[in-house]
Amino acid sequence: MSPDRETLTGDWGGARSDLREAGISVRADYVSETFAAVDGGLKRGTGYTQQLRAGVDVDLDRTIGWSGALFHLTLNDRRGVGVSSDIVGNRLPIQEAAGGNFTKLTEFSIEQNFDSGRLNLRVGYFAMGNDLGGMAIGCNLVNAAFCAHPLAFSGDTGWYNYPNARWGAALRYRLRPDVTLRTGLFQVNPRLNDQHNAFRPFAGGSTGVLVPIEVEYDPGIGKDSRVLPGHYKLGFYYDSSTVARQGRPGSVTGRYGAYILADQMVVRGSGGRGLSVFGQFAANPRASAPITRWFAAGLVKTGTFASRDADTIALGIIQARVNPRLRDLHEASQAVPDGFVSLPAGETAIELSYGIQLRRWLSIRPDVQYILDPGTFAFRRTRNALAFGSQVKVQF
């Protein structure tokens, strides 16, 4: 087996290349995450979760002569036991691939490029988080609070991340090579997360629409640029849904939030080696948001030991602050106050991860996570939790 091949299954005797030349790209991948909670939390235990994803991307110019258009279809299947949900009892998921343990349609969309790709429009049924609010550098860690998007987005509004899809339209415009504007219009429908709606994209239950806007600045994006590369995102989103007011009687119409995401290489070595740092901040109003503040920071070193240019070591810390109105409400409702100590103000996750790139199509990531105040969002005091595990990724 050639160490340079990009996928486990290779070129299928030339058939894969022939399909790609005809405009049809077939993709599939597997992720597993096995963790043991060895101390703290609700109890000790082990959980294994996996995700299988398969899809096809069709260049409509090559297949039917539709210039600048692409068609995307993706199916997703998840199985297993979530360490956070079933064992530790915390809010920041220790396994990124945990949750939604069934097969579902996750994308059915058409993408159209204009002006040589400077303007891009995607319409259909897809996860809005594919285009907005993400940081690729975070996937050098396993916890979903890093490898996805700040959970304040989806925890506080109708923002839905992969593999949860919604009907929508996403617009991306490159103002200049290093500045990109993103916006769109997306359906808010919590019922589409239900298993019985896994292949029913037209199921009822819409509560409103969500409108995000994001500006991204990418210094050092040029091929021969001497500027160290980075990504800086400033965003705002508004959800028109009417929901229960947090910690107070009545309802509120309109949920919203703002965020700043950034990563920057600070040291660049040879052979793709380097050291990058990242940070996140998100804010949401007390009237409508269970999570009112979100903070994250970390670093990723690419290239570790001699001849290990593609391996990574990553360290991250993240904190989600619970709405103080909700915390005060639960404290006031207790018949016997919890001594002289109030409930935790937020949950914090600290993670250390080492990514081993064994082949271009295979990586293994040993990982350790320490969760402080894991009972925050259940409004209970729970001992800090320690979990060890590993993630395996395979490209088919």
Side-chain angles (χ1 to χ4, degrees):
M1 182 180 296
S2 170
D4 296 327
R5 66 196 302 174
E6 296 182 0
T7 61
L8 171 63
T9 58
D11 199 32
W12 307 342
R16 197 169 202 161
S17 293
D18 292 342
L19 284 169
R20 190 179 297 113
E21 186 64 25
I24 302 172
S25 297
V26 180
R27 49 185 163 78
D29 59 75
Y30 160 86
V31 178
S32 71
E33 293 158 352
T34 305
F35 275 83
V38 297
D39 189 44
L42 299 178
K43 58 184 178 181
R44 296 182 180 182
T46 301
Y48 165 87
T49 188
Q50 70 172 41
Q51 173 179 284
L52 285 170
R53 174 172 53 183
V56 62
D57 304 307
V58 181
D59 185 332
L60 297 180
D61 187 6
R62 294 189 182 186
T63 54
I64 62 173
W66 183 349
S67 179
L70 298 167
F71 168 74
H72 307 285
L73 174 67
T74 305
L75 301 178
N76 195 88
D77 180 86
R78 286 184 172 182
R79 307 287 164 174
V81 174
V83 170
S84 287
S85 58
D86 295 5
I87 298 170
V88 175
N90 69 305
R91 176 68 176 82
L92 305 177
I94 292 170
Q95 299 145 296
E96 190 275 333
N101 294 330
F102 50 90
T103 305
K104 67 190 305 180
L105 174 67
T106 58
E107 184 168 15
F108 186 90
S109 70
I110 290 180
E111 183 179 351
Q112 177 69 58
N113 287 309
F114 303 92
D115 192 16
S116 300
R118 187 178 181 186
L119 176 65
N120 176 275
L121 174 66
R122 183 193 294 255
V123 295
Y125 189 71
F126 60 101
M128 62 171 292
N130 286 1
D131 299 299
L132 293 136
M135 295 181 69
I137 194 173
C139 288
N140 290 287
L141 295 152
V142 179
N143 193 300
F146 293 110
C147 185
H149 312 78
L151 299 183
F153 299 178
S154 54
D156 293 340
T157 69
W159 181 302
Y160 293 98
N161 299 316
Y162 188 88
N164 298 316
R166 300 292 181 271
W167 291 104
L171 186 70
R172 182 179 73 242
Y173 183 63
R174 196 170 295 279
L175 300 172
R176 65 185 202 188
D178 58 353
V179 178
T180 303
L181 173 68
R182 296 183 180 90
T183 187
L185 186 70
F186 299 89
Q187 174 196 33
V188 179
N189 185 350
R191 294 184 183 177
L192 290 175
N193 287 349
D194 298 340
Q195 184 171 357
H196 64 270
N197 288 328
F199 289 92
R200 298 179 61 215
F202 296 101
S206 295
T207 62
V209 296
L210 191 142
V211 180
I213 185 166
E214 177 183 280
V215 177
E216 178 179 355
Y217 170 54
D218 301 322
I221 196 171
K223 182 178 180 181
D224 299 319
S225 175
R226 296 184 179 181
V227 177
L228 292 176
H231 307 86
Y232 297 82
K233 297 184 177 185
L234 175 64
F236 175 84
Y237 51 95
Y238 176 80
D239 174 357
S240 67
S241 302
T242 297
V243 296
R245 188 176 296 274
Q246 297 292 306
R248 300 285 192 277
S251 61
V252 58
T253 298
R255 301 180 288 181
Y256 56 90
Y259 59 91
I260 300 172
L261 313 176
D263 67 79
Q264 177 65 56
M265 179 177 281
V266 293
V267 177
R268 177 159 53 190
S270 61
R273 291 173 171 257
L275 174 66
S276 297
V277 296
F278 68 86
Q280 302 176 353
F281 171 74
N284 297 80
R286 295 185 179 187
S288 61
I291 302 172
T292 50
R293 294 293 183 271
W294 180 275
F295 307 92
L299 56 86
V300 176
K301 175 71 168 64
T302 302
T304 54
F305 305 103
S307 75
R308 302 305 305 174
D309 290 350
D311 284 4
T312 61
I313 185 167
L315 174 66
I317 181 170
I318 200 158
Q319 184 181 68
R321 296 274 183 89
V322 68
N323 190 328
R325 291 184 180 180
L326 295 176
R327 191 177 72 250
D328 293 344
L329 180 65
H330 280 265
E331 285 184 334
S333 68
Q334 300 303 306
V336 179
D338 186 19
F340 299 98
V341 183
S342 63
L343 291 169
E347 179 184 322
T348 302
I350 303 171
E351 181 176 353
L352 178 64
S353 184
Y354 187 91
I356 307 169
Q357 196 69 44
L358 295 175
R359 295 286 188 272
R360 296 180 67 180
W361 51 267
L362 172 63
S363 67
I364 299 176
R365 191 177 302 280
D367 190 89
V368 58
Q369 298 183 39
Y370 189 66
I371 310 298
L372 288 80
D373 296 317
T376 296
F377 288 89
F379 304 102
R380 62 170 177 255
R381 289 207 156 271
T382 306
R383 289 195 306 127
N384 296 343
L386 179 65
F388 292 93
S390 65
Q391 178 191 71
V392 177
K393 289 187 174 182
V394 179
Q395 298 286 335
F396 294 113

